[in-house]
Amino acid sequence: MSQTSIALTDEGVPAPSSRRSVGRGRLLMAAGLVLPVALAVFWEWAAASGLFQMRLMPPPSRVWDTMAALAARGELTHHVLATLYRVFAGFAIGALAGTLIGAFAGSSEAVRRLIDPSLQALRAVPSIAWVPLFILWLGIFETSKIALIAVGVFFPVYLGVGGSIANIDRKLIEVGQVFRLSRLALARRVMLPAVLPDWIISLRSGLGLGFMFVVAAEFMGASEGLGYLLIDGQQMGKPDQIIGAIVAFALLGKACDTLLLIVTRPLLAWQDTARGTL
Amino acid sequence: MLRIETISKTYSDGTHALEDVSLRVGPGEILAIVGGSGCGKTTLLRLIAGLDSATQGRILVDDETISAPHPAVGIVFQEPRLLPWLRVEDNIGFGIADLPATERRDRIAHALDRVGLAGYAKRWPRELSGGQQQRVAIARAFVARPAVLLLDEPFSALDAFTRASLHEHLLRLWEETKPTIVMVTHDVDEAVTLADRVVVMRPRPGRVFETTWVQLERPRDKLALGFEKAKRRVLGALDRSLRPETKPPEGVATEAAASY
Ligand SMILES: Nc1ncnc2c1ncn2[C@@H]1O[C@H](COP(=O)(O)OP(=O)(O)O)[C@@H](O)[C@H]1O
Ligand SMILES: [Mg+2]
């Protein structure tokens, strides 16, 4: 790689290093778009030239038109909001429970021995297996869906928090003890900051699972939501709607993950990792 | 000031780490402990710091028995043990959170200045070198104004130049409040540079082997004859302590005269 070619602007004068890194950041971001755009262009061309069957594999332009029509009627917003509401409600419940129970299990050997084996066994149950039970118990409406999502979010958060607390560096705890911190102060000033990075990582994977589970939840009979658009598209033979809903899931999931990253970034300014690029 | 009375320590796995150790350290005295690894030096400091409890005997600071970390006792560990999520200034102020904000700020600024890190208040620990981190750890211990300060091989991971400059920083801070210092080191040169008295320990089980007084004026000239002589006495004792057990000259105190 030639260092000078990057450091020079169009006029051939050396660019300040900050501008260089901003430019490079944009370039890296644009790099992520190369693959999807290339795929879309190829697809569009393949559909137009008859290589793909238009009916089953609608080109991006058709998908766009369908989604634009849905959006114009206000339906898209409606479905997106329904899905988002379920994910957030389930995420809030699952993350809270996972954090609390994980904290108990991580800080007490006795509690861990008592509950961890059962929770690990439950974790091995495929998510869909819960569906009939939740429907029987909680009905077919929102409650059962949110419960399913909460279960999905719970496990990664529980595991992340529990493991992280159990692994806190005893040497740092001793620093707190030497300065005679109370148990509460020790938890607040040493243990909490120590587990924060792992906690945020576990929240991210919990959120990811939340988006997976919302689809399962919406498959079990929903009249709104992006998952409903998928089922509806299948039953009505509208592949453009299915693909549109999949793309919407991708964008929504990515956007929520990025939001979580941005919100939590100030908490982790001290960290010495390449986290900023993830 | 600091009284260690017939301390024995056996760990739960049966390791006999200390046997009948007694020491008295006067106010403002700097005591260095040297000895092969595994002879219980760290164990002894942890007992004084109240991080662990003795199997037998007791430790008193100003006539108070130590059973848990004591406000008059501070410790600098072998590793800096800075909290990575706190900036340098907050790491230094970690143990004095209860003080009024202005007093706290003044002490932090003063300590930063004393360890030569005046411009580093807002840095993260990860942005510092090992020697700088250890200076922050020393400052963190000093701002709490302990009457007894324990140091467990605090400079062992550092190169000779960094170590020499840290000796100066340490002595400068010590000059201000004159705490009693108990310092573990494996560097005889360091022990003789800093200490009023050097205790050589012997392992399995750990006990006091020989004591050497170093009565030389500070700052000490490493090239002076007295320095060299004191060093040789300590090295001799250390050498004997590492040999297979013969009859140790129990309780013998040798003296390096200051008249050179
Ligand atoms: N927590 C512990 N549990 C069991 N044995 C220990 C523990 N800490 C230290 N020891 C043992 O006690 C002896 C003295 O250790 P230590 O005080 O660390 O020696 P030093 O600091 O002089 O190298 C060693 O044999 C060591 O293995
Ligand atoms: Mg040690």
Side-chain angles (χ1 to χ4, degrees), chain B residues 36-43 78 152-153 184:
Chain B
S37 82
C39 64
K41 306 180 298 290
T42 297
T43 302
Q78 187 163 1
D152 190 0
E153 303 194 30
V184 168

Side-chain angles (χ1 to χ4, degrees), chain A residues 170-172 174-181 189-191 193-194 267 269-273, chain B residues 46 51 69-71 73 75 77 79 81-85 94-95 97 124 126 140-141 144:
Chain A
R170 191 184 50 83
K171 292 178 168 176
L172 294 187
E174 278 183 359
V175 172
Q177 288 172 340
V178 163
F179 288 112
R180 304 186 315 131
L181 298 191
R189 297 181 60 196
V190 180
M191 295 166 78
L267 296 175
W270 52 272
Q271 260 198 324
D272 191 9
T273 61
Chain B
R46 290 178 60 83
L51 288 171
H70 190 278
V73 181
I75 184 166
F77 298 96
E79 331 77 34
R81 298 201 188 183
L82 303 184
L83 304 174
W85 53 84
F94 184 77
W124 298 111
R126 66 174 155 89
R140 174 175 68 186

Side-chain angles (χ1 to χ4, degrees), chain A residues 20-229:
Chain A
R20 180 173 68 196
S21 65
V22 166
R24 183 179 302 177
R26 282 214 197 102
L27 209 68
L28 286 175
M29 241 149 72
L33 291 174
V34 169
L35 219 53
V37 167
L39 186 69
V41 168
F42 168 74
W43 196 324
E44 193 73 44
W45 167 82
S49 66
L51 197 66
F52 285 180
Q53 259 190 305
M54 280 277 228
R55 204 181 60 75
L56 285 179
M57 305 198 64
S61 55
R62 273 267 289 285
V63 174
W64 177 261
D65 290 343
T66 307
M67 296 316 275
L70 270 179
R73 276 177 275 143
E75 283 179 45
L76 187 59
T77 316
H78 178 71
H79 291 303
V80 165
L81 286 180
T83 295
L84 271 184
Y85 162 72
R86 287 168 187 143
V87 171
F88 285 150
F91 177 75
I93 295 168
L96 188 68
T99 302
L100 290 178
I101 298 177
F104 280 123
S107 44
S108 158
E109 180 73 27
V111 173
R112 181 157 63 247
R113 284 181 190 249
L114 193 67
I115 64 172
D116 192 63
S118 310
L119 286 175
Q120 295 292 351
L122 285 179
R123 192 168 75 96
V125 175
S127 57
I128 302 294
W130 296 109
V131 169
L133 200 59
F134 283 172
I135 289 179
L136 272 182
W137 284 349
L138 305 168
I140 58 163
F141 299 110
E142 292 306 304
T143 320
S144 59
K145 295 185 175 57
I146 289 170
L148 182 65
I149 297 164
V151 166
V153 174
F154 172 82
F155 284 107
V157 177
Y158 163 77
L159 283 180
V161 170
S164 175
I165 291 183
N167 286 331
I168 295 179
D169 190 353
R170 191 184 50 83
K171 292 178 168 176
L172 294 187
I173 303 266
E174 278 183 359
V175 172
Q177 288 172 340
V178 163
F179 288 112
R180 304 186 315 131
L181 298 191
S182 65
R183 281 182 77 90
L184 192 68
L186 198 64
R188 185 174 63 80
R189 297 181 60 196
V190 180
M191 295 166 78
L192 187 67
V195 302
L196 212 52
D198 287 342
W199 185 61
I200 287 167
I201 288 173
S202 76
L203 285 185
R204 281 182 78 189
S205 48
L207 188 62
L209 277 181
F211 271 99
M212 284 185 196
F213 277 55
V214 79
V215 180
E218 288 177 344
F219 276 8
M220 68 200 210
S223 54
E224 54 191 5
L226 289 174
Y228 161 79
L229 283 186

Side-chain angles (χ1 to χ4, degrees), chain B residues 20-248:
Chain B
D20 195 24
V21 172
S22 294
L23 283 170
R24 269 165 181 263
V25 196
E29 185 182 347
I30 302 182
L31 177 80
I33 300 178
V34 296
S37 82
C39 64
K41 306 180 298 290
T42 297
T43 302
L44 182 60
L45 288 201
R46 290 178 60 83
L47 293 178
I48 304 172
L51 288 171
D52 212 339
S53 53
T55 320
Q56 261 173 44
R58 56 179 193 161
I59 294 172
L60 298 119
V61 171
D62 282 337
D63 299 320
E64 277 184 62
T65 308
I66 298 282
S67 56
H70 190 278
V73 181
I75 184 166
V76 176
F77 298 96
Q78 187 163 1
E79 331 77 34
R81 298 201 188 183
L82 303 184
L83 304 174
W85 53 84
L86 295 182
R87 293 178 191 275
V88 165
E89 55 181 359
D90 294 321
N91 261 295
I92 295 179
F94 184 77
I96 51 171
D98 297 339
L99 289 184
T102 48
E103 166 83 8
R104 189 165 176 270
R105 229 186 0 255
D106 290 347
R107 285 203 199 178
I108 293 171
H110 180 73
L112 270 171
D113 187 49
R114 276 300 141 115
V115 296
L117 290 174
Y120 289 76
K122 302 283 182 203
R123 298 289 192 94
W124 298 111
R126 66 174 155 89
E127 296 170 330
L128 306 185
S129 71
Q132 291 171 328
Q133 291 191 17
Q134 198 57 287
R135 280 191 258 168
V136 173
I138 291 170
R140 174 175 68 186
F142 265 100
V143 292
R145 307 250 167 100
V148 175
L149 180 63
L150 313 169
L151 299 122
D152 190 0
E153 303 194 30
F155 312 130
S156 59
L158 308 173
D159 62 83
F161 288 117
T162 313
R163 206 179 300 175
S165 91
L166 282 177
H167 292 161
E168 275 173 40
H169 289 303
L170 180 67
L171 284 176
R172 270 221 307 250
L173 279 166
W174 173 78
E175 286 284 343
E176 292 182 351
T177 51
K178 291 274 169 75
T180 300
I181 289 184
V182 178
M183 163 178 217
V184 168
T185 173
H186 58 228
D187 181 350
V188 172
D189 204 73
E190 179 169 281
V192 176
T193 305
L194 297 173
D196 298 303
R197 185 163 40 133
V198 182
V199 168
V200 176
M201 286 182 70
R202 171 161 212 162
R204 276 175 298 278
R207 62 227 117 113
V208 173
F209 182 67
E210 277 188 46
T211 302
T212 304
W213 290 90
V214 186
Q215 290 167 331
L216 301 167
E217 285 298 316
R218 293 191 180 90
R220 291 179 179 164
D221 177 7
K222 293 194 184 194
L223 300 175
L225 200 53
F227 190 93
E228 196 53 42
K229 197 173 166 189
K231 219 170 112 179
R232 246 179 282 146
R233 280 176 196 278
V234 176
L235 279 171
L238 196 60
D239 192 43
R240 283 191 294 282
S241 82
L242 296 174
R243 270 188 228 147
E245 204 114 358
T246 52
K247 184 73 196 121

